[in-house]
Amino acid sequence: MTPKMAFLGTTVAFVALTGAFLSSMGAVRVEVKSKQPGGEHVRVIAPGVLLPLGAMLVPKAKIHEAAHELQPWLPTVRAATEELLRCPDGPLMQIDNRQEHVKIAKIGDALVIDVDDAGETVHVTVPLRAAAYACNRLAEEAQAEPEATGRQPI
C-alpha cells in the first residue's frame, strides 16, 4: 500500500466516523417565518451534538442554578424522553382554533413542534437523544455540591 492510499483510507475513515458521530444525536432545527410585511425568516440547523458541547461552555454557577430550579421536573422529563424514544412515531398533541394551530409529534428519534398563528410560523425539531443527554447533565449538576460550582449555600 502506498502512502497516498494509506492517507486516503485514513481520511475516508475519519470523515465517516465523524459523520456517524454527528448524526448519532440528530440535528436541531429551528425555523421562524414572520407573516408581517417585510418580516424576517430565520433558519438554524445544527448537529444535536452541539447541545451537550454548548452546555459545557455555560458557566458552572449558571448550570447549577438552572439545574436546581428544574430539579423537581427532571425525573418527569427524563422518563418522558426515554419513553418517547421507545414509542412509535405519530402525533402527540394537536390544537386547532381560530388564533393558532399547534402540533407536536414524534418523528423518528426527534420531537417536532409546529406552531402557526397570525404573526408567525415556527418549526422546531429536537433530537430526543440530545434532550436526554441535557436532562442527565442537569440532574448530575443538581446533585453536585454547591462548593464545587463556586456557589455558597443559602
Side-chain angles (χ1 to χ4, degrees):
M1 180 182 290
T2 67
K4 285 183 181 181
M5 293 287 287
F7 177 76
L8 179 62
T10 303
T11 302
V12 168
F14 176 76
V15 168
L17 287 173
T18 301
F21 174 71
L22 289 176
S23 68
S24 70
M25 283 211 194
V28 175
R29 179 176 171 223
V30 177
E31 186 171 356
V32 180
K33 286 185 194 177
S34 175
K35 293 182 178 179
Q36 308 307 319
E40 300 202 3
H41 181 181
V42 177
R43 180 182 298 157
V44 177
I45 300 173
V49 74
L50 291 182
L51 289 177
L53 292 176
M56 291 179 193
L57 300 175
V58 177
K60 280 268 195 198
K62 293 290 184 187
I63 290 281
H64 188 75
E65 185 178 319
H68 231 50
E69 290 177 20
L70 294 172
Q71 187 174 16
W73 299 102
L74 290 175
T76 304
V77 173
R78 180 184 290 149
T81 303
E82 290 171 3
E83 288 304 315
L84 281 170
L85 280 166
R86 283 190 272 258
C87 79
D89 291 3
L92 301 172
M93 184 191 85
Q94 189 163 338
I95 299 171
D96 291 307
N97 61 39
R98 290 182 190 175
Q99 292 81 28
E100 62 189 0
H101 304 282
V102 179
K103 182 177 179 183
I104 300 175
K106 182 203 179 230
I107 300 175
D109 287 343
L111 191 63
V112 178
I113 303 163
D114 289 307
V115 179
D116 187 12
D117 67 19
E120 58 197 8
T121 301
V122 178
H123 174 86
V124 178
T125 302
V126 179
L128 290 166
R129 292 190 200 296
Y133 178 89
C135 183
N136 289 334
R137 173 81 173 88
L138 286 172
E140 290 169 8
E141 193 59 39
Q143 300 301 318
E145 293 295 320
E147 294 81 30
T149 63
R151 275 186 70 177
Q152 296 298 319
I154 298 175

